[in-house]
Amino acid sequence: MSILDTEDGTPSRRFSEFLSDVGATLLEHRSDAKPDLRIVIRGTPVSAEARRRAEVLEEAADLILGAPRPAFARLFASACAAWVND
């Protein structure tokens, strides 16, 4: 899974920490990895360039969140764990 944000990286780190808190394992970034799921956390772009970058990230996303939410992270991690363990 790839988690990106349209800001400075802080929302991605927070959401990753929420996932880690409920048992997800964080892996180091690997440039050759092909994620099965791409999550983008939307921020408020402050420039035209930031808007273009956000549009590109969101076009490739499977899931777009408005903010890193701990409750969603718990539910998401639980669903992923059930899927992996099936």
Side-chain angles (χ1 to χ4, degrees):
M1 163 185 351
S2 169
I3 304 171
L4 301 171
D5 64 74
T6 60
E7 294 181 13
D8 64 356
T10 301
S12 295
R13 284 189 297 278
R14 287 185 60 216
F15 189 68
S16 296
E17 288 170 4
F18 295 150
L19 290 172
S20 180
D21 289 347
V22 293
T25 301
L26 301 179
L27 303 174
E28 293 298 319
H29 173 73
R30 288 185 22 215
S31 60
D32 63 337
K34 301 278 191 230
D36 293 328
L37 180 67
R38 289 178 173 83
I39 298 174
V40 171
I41 302 172
R42 179 180 287 162
T44 304
V46 294
S47 68
E49 183 178 331
R51 277 190 296 280
R52 284 191 297 275
R53 180 179 177 270
E55 288 171 3
V56 169
L57 290 175
E58 291 177 7
E59 283 178 17
D62 297 302
L63 176 65
I64 300 171
L65 299 176
R69 307 233 186 256
F72 178 78
R74 282 191 302 275
L75 291 171
F76 184 69
S78 176
C80 288
W83 173 76
V84 168
N85 293 323
D86 257 354

